[in-house]
Amino acid sequence: MDNNTFGNKFSFTSFGESHGLAIGGVLDGVPAGLHIDLNLIRKELERRKGRSAGVSARAVREPDEVEWLSGVIERDKGTKDQGQGTKDLITLGTPIAFIIRNKDARPEDYEWLKHSYRPGHADKVYEQKYGIRDWRGGGRASARETAARVVAGCIAKQQLSAKGIAIHARLTQVGSETDPARFDEVIRAYRSEGDSIGGIVECVISGIPAETGEPIFHKLQAELAFAVMSINACKGFEYGTGFGGVDQPGSVINQISGGIAGGIADGTDITFRCVFKPTPTTPKALAQCASGDQTIKIGRHDACVAVRAVPVVEAMTALALVQFL
Amino acid sequence: MDNNTFGNKFSFTSFGESHGLAIGGVLDGVPAGLHIDLNLIRKELERRKGRSAGVSARAVREPDEVEWLSGVIERDKGTKDQGQGTKDLITLGTPIAFIIRNKDARPEDYEWLKHSYRPGHADKVYEQKYGIRDWRGGGRASARETAARVVAGCIAKQQLSAKGIAIHARLTQVGSETDPARFDEVIRAYRSEGDSIGGIVECVISGIPAETGEPIFHKLQAELAFAVMSINACKGFEYGTGFGGVDQPGSVINQISGGIAGGIADGTDITFRCVFKPTPTTPKALAQCASGDQTIKIGRHDACVAVRAVPVVEAMTALALVQFL
Amino acid sequence: MDNNTFGNKFSFTSFGESHGLAIGGVLDGVPAGLHIDLNLIRKELERRKGRSAGVSARAVREPDEVEWLSGVIERDKGTKDQGQGTKDLITLGTPIAFIIRNKDARPEDYEWLKHSYRPGHADKVYEQKYGIRDWRGGGRASARETAARVVAGCIAKQQLSAKGIAIHARLTQVGSETDPARFDEVIRAYRSEGDSIGGIVECVISGIPAETGEPIFHKLQAELAFAVMSINACKGFEYGTGFGGVDQPGSVINQISGGIAGGIADGTDITFRCVFKPTPTTPKALAQCASGDQTIKIGRHDACVAVRAVPVVEAMTALALVQFL
Amino acid sequence: MDNNTFGNKFSFTSFGESHGLAIGGVLDGVPAGLHIDLNLIRKELERRKGRSAGVSARAVREPDEVEWLSGVIERDKGTKDQGQGTKDLITLGTPIAFIIRNKDARPEDYEWLKHSYRPGHADKVYEQKYGIRDWRGGGRASARETAARVVAGCIAKQQLSAKGIAIHARLTQVGSETDPARFDEVIRAYRSEGDSIGGIVECVISGIPAETGEPIFHKLQAELAFAVMSINACKGFEYGTGFGGVDQPGSVINQISGGIAGGIADGTDITFRCVFKPTPTTPKALAQCASGDQTIKIGRHDACVAVRAVPVVEAMTALALVQFL
């Protein structure tokens, strides 16, 4: 499992199990002197918890406080007593290590999983691959790992922001519904039936300099697809005209670059879309996988993971782009 | 442009300009003693040239003979005189370098491009990025580079094949047409109008061992997306339920893994689809970009690049999978 | 500073400043099911602190307790109450993150360095490179970072040990003295004069399988040199006949392989030697660098760093070798 | 054998067997617009062949003409007819592939090696590692591979030169002789006895900007040691005070940085030394390894490989340094 590092210039190494002591990460390659906006990180972690009716109970309760172990110093020691909210950090150029403790871990909720595999989850493949498995809440495979991605992504975003690059993702579809005003309602309906539903996230990158990207294997679209497809539950990626453009002739769509030509940004906005499947572990689904008289305690899950995927899509996009700076 | 290498265990470095002396590649990490089936390579290179009405004239004429510079020895010197067709190669475990000479290069066809940019092509971004550009037929950005990918992919395929892994891609849609029997007809129609059209390629991987893949960033689907999205003109990638599954509830689709769970193969077939946009450089399109009385000689192009993308999709899939062995 | 990772198969990412909250590391690629002997780690960390008269006061006081954040589970929960000494850990195959808190940090000892550079130290180059510097005790450049290397090296050693590979380093020279019985005496003499002295460490690798190593750039000796030369104060590396063999004819030394032929282990023991310069920051030396009436408080330093380098040489050797398994 | 690439920013992939069709390389990451001085390359290849009495007959005869396959265009087509000597090349920013054909290969000289291993050579470990071996003149293990390193190193040097960085290596010792005026004489004496002798090469890097290097694992001295120790027959590396400084106290040598502090260049000249063992394959040595009545034809070898190592040391130094720009 030598695969917990993303990127090689601004590299992010993620670690931690869902119900262990902590999750966290190490960022290497962040330039010295970068200002880290702790409020932005707090805001993005809140966004990742979600606000809609479809969010798991744990997500809301877990405080997600980031502890900075190395690579940063406080900006202004004078304002330290005024509370954490006003304190900011400056990077030293050395590796930035941070952790988020797992305070609300309830491994006992998952005891039944010690000898069972949840359908649609990675439980079984992990055991096959490693011979050993931290069964508690999915262990390493849990989407809780994405909290570390959001922290790393925020730091990447601030570096991008200093160069005028902005990333905005939003939920554009839930099931067959495309009117954002009705998303909560749709999700609530699935939740009340013990079910779940998929969603589509659209992301716009603006301010990207022409020349960003590489022409052969490391095309900008390939790196974006790689970053986004590494998010749990993501089943597809498209940009520009995407799958929908298949039936349009070249004479019509040849002026639509989607912001990238030959793997290299052309300076216009880049728009991509990605789809998230519904959570497989729903009350409805799990009722079918318990054998005999086994009592199942279902962990705490989301009715539409696409909701909480939005800031993770932004984070992974930022981590992909920052490699090219 | 330090990006001409794909993979790190079975690494493939691609080189060469479309209208230079040769294109080629170096494969490093191929085990010693692997048998290279030269007929398969010849067959796949033919397939890449395409057979349908939509193929460019150059593709048909370019002989695409592979010269092996290093890393292999001939299997049986005794049969050497019986012609190239019966000779096979055995790998030495050292880097395999090969070239394909550009025999039918006609740089003079592209002289007008020295001071013009074709719409929908990488001409302009290359000049911005490098300050210098081999304008002849797209230079490095030309899809001719994919011939080297096909050669490398064939070697990867043979290594996969020895482990029982098979890769089969096919064209499943051209424009809005999904009946393969009518594809040629549709393409011919666009060609006759001086236009071009998109297509969808579906690829099935069978025999893939459970445990293939990595759980966090290097998920199997992320690596496949990265490989496939690096092919010229590819605009989207999806696997399993893909974009179409967005409106299906978790209780219905939770048993459909698409062959991958948590980034790791579960041992069942993996099916993915990718979409190719139409060639931008068509007679119709180019007529609009010439300024004033400039005479435009249009290079030789395809009416539906998705046709020729099929073996390239297989090659990149093989190169992605072989990293995990 | 994207360079805090060593290795790519069993990768070790190091983080932390000397006088910050903690130093630590992340190990990725360690197989699941490996038993971690905590006693060995404790023993090696003690060894790194040194036992001779030449060791700095801080090194002795710093408890160096390792906290394991992820990637491991306890072997036997039943024996948990019997104290830390009896508990062992099993790896999960996920990244292993650990920290060692900086408990005895005394940044105030280094306040004078805020505006001064110590001769022979990295103070000045850091400030030039990063524009910002954690001046406290050398910050990231401090040899305290090697404690994390020792922890990582111990895990690598245990993996090597399971394959019958052993690594033994020892001090073979201090100044011009080559009799180990007199090393303490020599070091004490330099210390009492406010001075310091160099030393040579010899390391023997036994049980290394023939075939270990790669023939061109990643020759076994090149990887060992890279690993060892990355240790602070190391000024040279030689193996086999080394520099001393320069005046011996081929007919005499051609049977002495030093355990490596063409970059690949031949199955016999490998012996290499490396030299460590004396600590530059001694009372004697610092007396010269203070300007005017500035009061210098000298941090706590070693009279012969080669003493404490011995387990670090073993750790880096283990980290280099484990990449080839 | 995934190890034929050196570096990751200006990466050099080497390929080719000693007695196959060609040796060569691919350089990726060379910026567009760099002028390649073909005369310098020719001069350095000549220098690698050696001028002293100790050089093998093949080295002198092999024309070592470089064929450029990709990544470059000719500077001035107008002067093309004036002969190859006046033509220069400009890089395109795309991968530069080049080959040197093996014209004077005499595989028949090595037929006896098909079933024998030369002492002190990599013949046996290769067979163990790969199960298959190109026995002709050492195949991939032959020092002929260093010709490709010299070509790549020349391009790196030209990039360094543009930034004011110069690299000068020279032979400073042959056997126990340190007077350059007597080197030829000493080598000739060993040769006439069918024997060989070692040597020391010293290299000075001037103009290196302070800030070059990285502070933890990728220290400048570690990267230089890695690069130089990857050259065939190199047994040791030291810089600054080296092994000789072991008996000098800190108060004396603390002002001698050797050009590097904490892994980072301090802006002064860097001096390092490396030692090369004598060629193991001498008439005298080989006479002992033939079994029974086997007739041994000895290939063409050098009495002092250190002579020809000088430009290779420069080339590897250039390749190491250029990664940091």
Side-chain angles (χ1 to χ4, degrees):
Chain A
M1 194 139 127
D2 51 68
N3 76 325
N4 297 279
T5 297
F6 183 90
N8 50 30
K9 277 160 196 158
F10 179 115
S11 75
F12 166 50
T13 300
S14 160
F15 61 81
E17 280 72 50
S18 169
H19 290 68
L21 186 60
I23 60 162
V26 183
L27 280 152
D28 201 359
V30 182
L34 186 75
H35 165 254
I36 298 181
D37 179 347
L38 294 179
N39 277 327
L40 176 67
I41 291 177
R42 226 167 281 127
K43 211 191 75 190
E44 288 298 296
L45 286 173
E46 283 300 312
R47 202 176 159 210
R48 180 187 156 273
K49 286 187 195 171
R51 290 180 213 91
S52 87
V55 173
S56 85
R58 175 180 179 188
V60 173
R61 276 202 300 274
E62 195 67 78
D64 282 355
E65 253 170 56
V66 182
E67 285 175 55
W68 303 90
L69 300 176
S70 70
V72 292
I73 50 171
E74 289 179 22
R75 189 197 186 80
D76 186 357
K77 291 195 166 193
T79 62
K80 198 180 176 181
D81 298 327
Q82 296 163 27
Q84 204 182 28
T86 62
K87 195 175 54 180
D88 270 337
L89 300 175
I90 300 292
T91 59
L92 285 169
T94 56
I96 300 169
F98 65 87
I99 58 172
I100 302 173
R101 292 185 187 274
N102 292 321
K103 292 191 175 164
D104 191 42
R106 294 189 192 170
E108 65 278 9
D109 279 13
Y110 296 91
E111 276 295 315
W112 69 279
L113 270 172
K114 204 164 174 174
H115 305 293
S116 305
Y117 305 128
R118 290 166 299 173
H121 272 275
D123 300 337
K124 190 174 175 184
V125 292
Y126 261 62
E127 188 130 332
Q128 286 173 318
K129 190 175 179 76
Y130 301 108
I132 193 170
R133 170 172 65 101
D134 185 347
W135 66 87
R136 299 162 302 173
R140 183 73 182 135
S142 162
R144 177 149 176 75
E145 185 263 342
T146 56
R149 300 192 188 198
V150 166
V151 174
C154 276
I155 296 176
K157 266 187 200 176
Q158 292 173 49
Q159 206 179 331
L160 293 167
S161 175
K163 311 221 172 210
I165 303 167
I167 300 166
H168 291 291
R170 65 196 175 92
L171 193 64
T172 54
Q173 190 168 335
V174 170
S176 53
E177 181 61 58
T178 56
D179 174 5
R182 298 202 56 231
F183 289 167
D184 266 19
E185 195 180 327
V186 173
I187 295 168
R188 210 172 280 124
Y190 279 99
R191 186 170 192 84
S192 69
E193 288 169 31
D195 212 336
S196 60
I197 189 68
I200 288 176
V201 175
E202 186 174 283
C203 184
V204 179
I205 303 164
S206 57
I208 191 92
E211 304 187 21
T212 306
E214 294 289 341
I216 306 299
F217 298 117
H218 298 264
K219 288 185 166 79
L220 189 49
Q221 64 269 40
E223 294 289 356
L224 289 171
F226 175 67
V228 168
M229 291 294 298
S230 80
I231 304 173
N232 294 19
C234 183
K235 306 296 275 187
F237 171 95
E238 61 176 18
Y239 84 103
T241 51
F243 282 93
V246 69
D247 59 359
Q248 293 183 292
S251 56
V252 172
I253 69 168
N254 78 60
Q255 302 290 347
I256 305 165
S257 68
I260 306 174
I264 301 169
D266 63 15
T268 64
D269 283 4
I270 297 169
T271 303
F272 69 80
R273 295 173 4 122
C274 48
V275 62
F276 291 86
K277 71 168 185 178
T279 317
T281 328
T282 58
K284 208 165 171 177
L286 286 177
Q288 301 151 10
C289 78
S291 56
D293 58 348
Q294 197 181 9
T295 305
I296 296 179
K297 276 189 85 174
I298 304 142
R300 294 152 293 178
H301 300 92
D302 303 303
C304 181
V305 292
V307 174
R308 293 175 59 195
V310 176
V312 185
V313 168
E314 288 190 4
M316 292 311 301
T317 301
L319 287 170
L321 293 180
V322 84
Q323 310 299 326
F324 289 106
L325 294 188
Chain B
M1 193 140 123
D2 50 67
N3 76 325
N4 297 279
T5 297
F6 183 89
N8 50 31
K9 278 158 196 161
F10 180 115
S11 75
F12 165 51
T13 300
S14 161
F15 61 80
E17 280 71 50
S18 170
H19 289 68
L21 186 60
I23 60 160
V26 183
L27 279 151
D28 200 358
V30 182
L34 186 77
H35 165 254
I36 297 182
D37 179 347
L38 294 179
N39 276 328
L40 176 67
I41 292 176
R42 228 168 280 126
K43 211 191 74 189
E44 289 296 298
L45 285 172
E46 283 301 313
R47 201 176 161 210
R48 178 185 157 277
K49 286 186 195 170
R51 291 179 212 92
S52 86
V55 173
S56 83
R58 175 180 180 188
V60 174
R61 276 201 301 272
E62 194 66 79
D64 282 354
E65 253 170 57
V66 182
E67 284 176 57
W68 303 91
L69 300 176
S70 70
V72 293
I73 51 172
E74 288 178 22
R75 189 199 186 77
D76 186 359
K77 291 195 163 191
T79 63
K80 199 178 174 182
D81 298 330
Q82 295 163 29
Q84 200 182 32
T86 64
K87 195 175 53 180
D88 270 337
L89 300 175
I90 301 292
T91 59
L92 286 169
T94 56
I96 301 168
F98 65 88
I99 57 171
I100 301 172
R101 292 185 189 273
N102 292 322
K103 294 190 175 165
D104 191 42
R106 295 191 191 168
E108 65 278 10
D109 278 15
Y110 297 91
E111 278 293 318
W112 68 280
L113 269 172
K114 206 166 174 172
H115 305 293
S116 305
Y117 305 128
R118 292 167 299 174
H121 271 276
D123 299 338
K124 189 175 176 184
V125 291
Y126 261 62
E127 188 129 332
Q128 286 174 319
K129 190 175 178 75
Y130 302 108
I132 194 169
R133 172 170 64 101
D134 185 348
W135 66 87
R136 301 161 301 174
R140 183 74 182 134
S142 162
R144 177 149 175 75
E145 184 264 342
T146 58
R149 299 191 188 200
V150 166
V151 175
C154 276
I155 296 176
K157 265 187 199 174
Q158 291 175 49
Q159 205 180 331
L160 293 167
S161 175
K163 311 220 171 212
I165 303 167
I167 299 166
H168 291 293
R170 64 195 176 91
L171 194 62
T172 55
Q173 190 167 335
V174 171
S176 54
E177 182 59 62
T178 57
D179 175 5
R182 304 202 52 234
F183 290 167
D184 266 18
E185 193 178 329
V186 173
I187 295 167
R188 209 172 282 121
Y190 279 98
R191 187 170 191 83
S192 68
E193 290 169 29
D195 211 338
S196 59
I197 188 68
I200 288 176
V201 175
E202 185 174 284
C203 184
V204 179
I205 304 164
S206 57
I208 189 92
E211 305 186 19
T212 307
E214 295 290 341
I216 306 298
F217 297 117
H218 299 263
K219 288 186 166 79
L220 190 48
Q221 64 269 41
E223 294 288 358
L224 289 170
F226 175 68
V228 169
M229 292 293 300
S230 78
I231 304 171
N232 295 18
C234 182
K235 306 295 274 188
F237 172 94
E238 62 176 16
Y239 84 104
T241 51
F243 281 93
V246 69
D247 59 358
Q248 292 183 293
S251 56
V252 172
I253 69 167
N254 78 62
Q255 302 290 346
I256 306 162
S257 69
I260 305 174
I264 301 169
D266 62 15
T268 64
D269 283 5
I270 298 170
T271 303
F272 69 79
R273 295 171 6 118
C274 48
V275 62
F276 291 86
K277 69 167 186 178
T279 317
T281 329
T282 58
K284 208 166 172 176
L286 287 176
Q288 301 151 9
C289 79
S291 56
D293 59 348
Q294 196 180 10
T295 304
I296 297 180
K297 275 191 85 173
I298 304 145
R300 297 153 294 179
H301 298 92
D302 303 303
C304 180
V305 292
V307 174
R308 295 174 59 195
V310 176
V312 185
V313 168
E314 287 191 3
M316 291 311 300
T317 302
L319 287 170
L321 292 179
V322 85
Q323 309 300 325
F324 289 107
L325 294 189
Chain C
M1 194 139 127
D2 52 67
N3 75 325
N4 296 279
T5 297
F6 183 89
N8 50 31
K9 277 159 197 160
F10 179 115
S11 76
F12 166 50
T13 300
S14 160
F15 61 80
E17 279 72 50
S18 169
H19 290 69
L21 187 60
I23 60 161
V26 183
L27 279 151
D28 201 359
V30 182
L34 185 77
H35 165 252
I36 297 181
D37 180 347
L38 294 180
N39 276 327
L40 177 67
I41 292 177
R42 228 168 279 127
K43 210 190 75 191
E44 289 297 297
L45 286 173
E46 284 300 312
R47 202 177 159 209
R48 178 186 156 276
K49 286 186 195 172
R51 291 181 212 91
S52 88
V55 173
S56 84
R58 176 180 179 189
V60 175
R61 276 201 302 274
E62 194 67 78
D64 282 355
E65 252 170 57
V66 182
E67 285 175 56
W68 303 91
L69 300 176
S70 70
V72 292
I73 50 171
E74 290 179 20
R75 189 197 185 79
D76 185 357
K77 291 196 165 192
T79 63
K80 198 179 176 182
D81 299 328
Q82 295 162 29
Q84 203 182 29
T86 64
K87 194 176 54 180
D88 270 338
L89 300 175
I90 300 292
T91 59
L92 285 168
T94 55
I96 300 169
F98 65 88
I99 57 172
I100 302 173
R101 292 185 188 273
N102 293 322
K103 290 191 176 165
D104 190 43
R106 294 191 193 170
E108 64 278 10
D109 279 14
Y110 297 91
E111 277 293 316
W112 69 278
L113 270 172
K114 206 164 174 173
H115 305 294
S116 305
Y117 305 128
R118 290 167 300 173
H121 272 276
D123 299 337
K124 190 174 175 184
V125 291
Y126 261 62
E127 187 130 333
Q128 285 173 319
K129 191 175 177 75
Y130 301 107
I132 194 170
R133 172 172 63 102
D134 185 348
W135 66 87
R136 300 163 302 172
R140 183 73 182 135
S142 162
R144 178 151 176 73
E145 185 264 341
T146 59
R149 298 192 188 199
V150 166
V151 173
C154 277
I155 296 176
K157 267 188 199 175
Q158 292 174 48
Q159 205 180 331
L160 293 167
S161 176
K163 310 222 171 209
I165 303 166
I167 299 165
H168 291 292
R170 65 196 174 91
L171 193 63
T172 55
Q173 190 169 335
V174 170
S176 54
E177 181 60 62
T178 57
D179 175 4
R182 300 200 56 231
F183 290 168
D184 266 19
E185 197 178 327
V186 174
I187 295 167
R188 209 173 280 122
Y190 280 98
R191 186 169 192 84
S192 68
E193 288 169 31
D195 211 336
S196 61
I197 188 69
I200 289 177
V201 175
E202 185 175 285
C203 184
V204 179
I205 304 164
S206 57
I208 190 93
E211 303 187 20
T212 306
E214 295 290 340
I216 305 300
F217 298 118
H218 300 263
K219 289 185 165 78
L220 190 48
Q221 64 269 40
E223 294 289 356
L224 288 171
F226 175 67
V228 169
M229 292 293 299
S230 80
I231 303 173
N232 294 19
C234 183
K235 305 296 274 187
F237 171 96
E238 62 176 17
Y239 83 104
T241 51
F243 282 93
V246 70
D247 58 359
Q248 293 183 292
S251 55
V252 173
I253 69 168
N254 78 60
Q255 302 290 348
I256 304 164
S257 69
I260 306 174
I264 301 169
D266 62 15
T268 64
D269 284 4
I270 297 169
T271 302
F272 69 79
R273 295 172 5 120
C274 48
V275 61
F276 291 86
K277 69 168 185 178
T279 319
T281 328
T282 57
K284 208 164 171 178
L286 287 176
Q288 302 151 6
C289 80
S291 55
D293 58 349
Q294 196 180 10
T295 305
I296 296 179
K297 275 189 86 174
I298 305 142
R300 296 154 294 177
H301 298 91
D302 302 304
C304 179
V305 293
V307 175
R308 295 174 59 195
V310 176
V312 185
V313 168
E314 288 191 5
M316 291 312 299
T317 301
L319 288 170
L321 292 179
V322 84
Q323 310 300 326
F324 289 107
L325 295 189
Chain D
M1 193 140 123
D2 51 68
N3 76 324
N4 297 281
T5 297
F6 183 90
N8 50 32
K9 277 159 197 159
F10 179 115
S11 75
F12 166 50
T13 299
S14 160
F15 60 81
E17 279 73 49
S18 170
H19 290 68
L21 187 60
I23 60 161
V26 183
L27 279 151
D28 201 359
V30 182
L34 186 77
H35 164 255
I36 298 182
D37 178 348
L38 294 178
N39 276 328
L40 176 67
I41 291 177
R42 227 168 280 127
K43 209 192 73 189
E44 288 298 296
L45 286 172
E46 282 302 312
R47 199 177 162 210
R48 178 187 157 275
K49 285 186 195 170
R51 290 180 212 91
S52 89
V55 173
S56 85
R58 175 179 180 190
V60 175
R61 277 201 301 274
E62 194 66 79
D64 283 354
E65 252 171 56
V66 182
E67 284 176 56
W68 303 90
L69 300 175
S70 68
V72 292
I73 51 172
E74 289 178 22
R75 189 199 186 77
D76 186 359
K77 292 194 164 193
T79 62
K80 200 178 175 182
D81 298 330
Q82 297 163 28
Q84 203 182 30
T86 63
K87 194 175 56 180
D88 271 335
L89 300 175
I90 301 291
T91 58
L92 285 169
T94 56
I96 299 168
F98 65 88
I99 58 172
I100 301 172
R101 292 185 187 272
N102 292 321
K103 292 190 175 165
D104 191 42
R106 295 189 190 170
E108 64 280 9
D109 278 14
Y110 296 91
E111 276 295 316
W112 68 279
L113 270 173
K114 204 166 175 173
H115 306 293
S116 305
Y117 304 128
R118 291 167 299 173
H121 271 275
D123 299 337
K124 189 174 177 185
V125 293
Y126 261 63
E127 188 128 332
Q128 286 173 319
K129 191 175 177 75
Y130 302 108
I132 193 169
R133 172 170 64 101
D134 186 348
W135 66 87
R136 302 163 300 175
R140 183 73 181 133
S142 163
R144 177 150 175 76
E145 184 263 343
T146 57
R149 298 191 189 199
V150 167
V151 174
C154 277
I155 297 175
K157 266 187 201 175
Q158 291 173 50
Q159 205 179 332
L160 292 167
S161 175
K163 309 218 173 213
I165 303 167
I167 299 167
H168 291 292
R170 64 195 177 93
L171 195 63
T172 55
Q173 190 168 334
V174 171
S176 53
E177 181 60 61
T178 57
D179 174 5
R182 303 200 54 231
F183 290 167
D184 266 18
E185 194 179 329
V186 174
I187 296 167
R188 210 172 280 122
Y190 279 98
R191 187 170 191 82
S192 68
E193 290 168 31
D195 211 337
S196 59
I197 188 68
I200 289 177
V201 175
E202 187 175 282
C203 184
V204 179
I205 303 163
S206 57
I208 190 91
E211 304 187 21
T212 307
E214 294 290 340
I216 305 300
F217 298 118
H218 299 264
K219 290 185 164 79
L220 190 48
Q221 65 268 42
E223 295 288 357
L224 289 170
F226 175 68
V228 169
M229 292 293 300
S230 80
I231 303 172
N232 294 17
C234 183
K235 307 296 273 188
F237 171 94
E238 62 177 16
Y239 83 103
T241 51
F243 281 93
V246 69
D247 58 359
Q248 293 182 292
S251 55
V252 173
I253 69 168
N254 77 61
Q255 302 290 347
I256 306 163
S257 68
I260 306 174
I264 301 169
D266 62 15
T268 64
D269 283 5
I270 297 169
T271 303
F272 69 79
R273 295 172 4 120
C274 48
V275 61
F276 291 86
K277 68 168 186 178
T279 318
T281 328
T282 58
K284 207 166 175 177
L286 287 176
Q288 301 151 9
C289 81
S291 54
D293 60 348
Q294 197 180 9
T295 304
I296 297 179
K297 275 190 82 172
I298 304 146
R300 297 153 293 179
H301 299 92
D302 304 303
C304 180
V305 292
V307 174
R308 295 174 60 196
V310 177
V312 185
V313 168
E314 287 190 5
M316 291 311 300
T317 301
L319 288 170
L321 292 179
V322 83
Q323 309 301 325
F324 290 107
L325 295 188

